[in-house]
Amino acid sequence: MGLGVTRRGLGAIAMLAATAWATGATAQQGQPLRVGSTLALTGPLAATGIVHKIVGEIYVEQLN
């Protein structure tokens, strides 16, 4: 179970790093960048999905 959480965490970090890189590239052009994701906010994976949602919101807040 701990290994699965680690893989998900690494996936989230990779996604955020890619977003940060892409944002830096488009910010110079002045074009808005939209980033979307799918999260399980209900059901058996809701606890993990909510954590990822909160982390994403914090990241965007700090980025802006």
Side-chain angles (χ1 to χ4, degrees):
M1 184 172 180
L3 184 58
V5 173
T6 302
R7 287 184 185 181
R8 275 186 245 138
L10 289 175
I13 290 169
M15 181 185 76
L16 291 176
T19 302
W21 177 79
T23 302
T26 59
Q28 296 172 357
Q29 299 169 1
Q31 298 174 351
L33 176 69
R34 290 185 175 206
V35 177
S37 66
T38 58
L39 294 172
L41 299 177
T42 61
L45 298 176
T48 303
I50 291 171
V51 170
H52 286 241
K53 179 181 180 226
I54 292 169
V55 168
E57 289 171 351
I58 291 170
Y59 175 78
V60 169
E61 204 173 290
Q62 290 181 356
L63 181 66
N64 291 329

